[in-house]
């Protein structure tokens, strides 16, 4: 089965074409180019490099979040458009799990971390090898996350380009239990996204309309609106 993988949940961009267990073409980049400009050309590039036509794609995998609202929306919109127009199944995978897959052969629990601004993060913890969930994807202040990690009382590998923002604090709180993944593992790979999607059941083709991003928190504009509504009620 030929898969198209689309990962735009955060600043890095990755797109891949995978045929069964073989990566035919992949783009991974972390440059100052918005996904609204860069994503579609990258998709066209990997399809062309793989010697395929869009109609040859048999399934689509997309990073469903959490992450940048705009990035998640762009990837999901592109994926849903491809899935609907080609009448192919669409599988969503956590952006945090996609990151963790880069380090699946490590000997430590894996903490994927994405900056959510104002000392907040999106994070999850997975077992190495199986990538079974230890701490589910969630949104928290960095202090709250570190409290949870301290309770695990085990070595943890931190992965993701945003780890640098917090690693001094992480080391201060966790000491030698905090291990930094090599920078070469920090960018999500669409081929890993596809590999994870291949382990999941294929949804019905018509289910594409029901597919929604997993933001793990409401947008700031929505939060502000809720605050205003509460003020008016009082």
């Amino acid at each position: 089965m030929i898969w198209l993988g689309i990962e735009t949940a955060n600043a890095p961009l990755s797109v891949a074409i995978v045929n069964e267990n073989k990566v035919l073409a992949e783009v991974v980049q972390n440059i100052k180019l918005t996904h609204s400009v860069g994503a579609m050309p990258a998709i066209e590039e990997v399809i062309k490099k793989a010697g395929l036509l869009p109609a040859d794609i048999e399934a689509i995998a997309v990073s469903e979040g959490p992450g940048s609202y705009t990035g998640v929306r762009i990837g999901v919109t592109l994926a849903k458009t491809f899935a609907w127009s080609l009448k192919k199944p669409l599988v969503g995978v956590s952006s945090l799990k996609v990151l963790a897959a880069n380090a699946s052969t490590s000997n430590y629990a894996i903490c994927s971390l994405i900056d959510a601004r104002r000392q907040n993060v999106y994070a999850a913890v997975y077992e190495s090898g199986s990538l079974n969930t230890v701490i589910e994807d969630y949104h928290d202040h960095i202090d709250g996350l570190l409290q949870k990690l301290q309770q695990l009382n085990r070595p943890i590998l931190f992965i993701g380009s945003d780890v640098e923002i917090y690693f001094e604090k992480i080391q201060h709180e966790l000491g030698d239990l905090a291990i930094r993944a090599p920078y070469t593992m920090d960018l999500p790979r669409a081929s890993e996204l596809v590999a994870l999607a291949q382990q999941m059941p294929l949804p019905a083709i018509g289910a594409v309309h029901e597919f929604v991003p997993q933001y793990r928190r409401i947008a700031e504009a929505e939060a502000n609106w809720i605050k205003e509504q509460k003020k008016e009620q009082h």
Side-chain angles (χ1 to χ4, degrees), residues 49-79:
K49 282 184 174 178
L52 302 172
L53 297 171
D56 295 322
I57 294 166
E58 298 171 281
I60 294 105
V62 67
S63 179
E64 65 185 12
S68 152
Y69 287 107
T70 303
V72 172
R73 276 199 302 270
I74 288 170
V76 168
T77 300
L78 284 169

Side-chain angles (χ1 to χ4, degrees), residues 32-175:
K32 290 190 181 299
L33 181 67
T34 61
H35 296 326
S36 58
V37 173
M40 195 61 210
I43 291 170
E44 292 171 347
E45 178 186 341
V46 292
I47 292 173
K48 184 177 179 181
K49 282 184 174 178
L52 302 172
L53 297 171
D56 295 322
I57 294 166
E58 298 171 281
I60 294 105
V62 67
S63 179
E64 65 185 12
S68 152
Y69 287 107
T70 303
V72 172
R73 276 199 302 270
I74 288 170
V76 168
T77 300
L78 284 169
K80 289 178 75 169
T81 301
F82 268 91
W84 175 245
S85 61
L86 297 173
K87 299 293 186 284
K88 302 299 181 184
L90 172 62
V91 178
V93 180
S94 158
S95 56
L96 292 164
K97 193 168 188 177
V98 173
L99 258 181
N102 285 350
S104 62
T105 57
S106 82
N107 297 318
Y108 312 108
I110 306 159
C111 179
S112 300
L113 188 148
I114 296 168
D115 182 38
R117 298 181 185 176
R118 298 175 185 169
Q119 293 292 295
N120 289 299
V121 296
Y122 300 108
V125 179
Y126 303 92
E127 296 286 2
S128 60
S130 66
L131 292 183
N132 289 334
T133 305
V134 178
I135 295 176
E136 295 273 359
D137 293 17
Y138 86 120
H139 172 265
D140 199 356
H141 191 277
I142 185 64
D143 292 343
L145 171 64
L146 289 173
Q147 285 177 4
K148 281 195 172 192
L149 298 180
Q150 282 174 325
Q151 291 169 9
L152 294 178
N153 194 29
R154 57 190 289 196
I156 298 171
L157 182 75
F158 288 84
I159 191 166
S161 54
D162 291 341
V163 169
E164 286 305 312
I165 301 169
Y166 300 101
F167 199 59
E168 187 175 331
K169 184 167 194 169
I170 291 168
Q171 282 185 305
H172 182 265
E173 296 297 327
L174 300 183

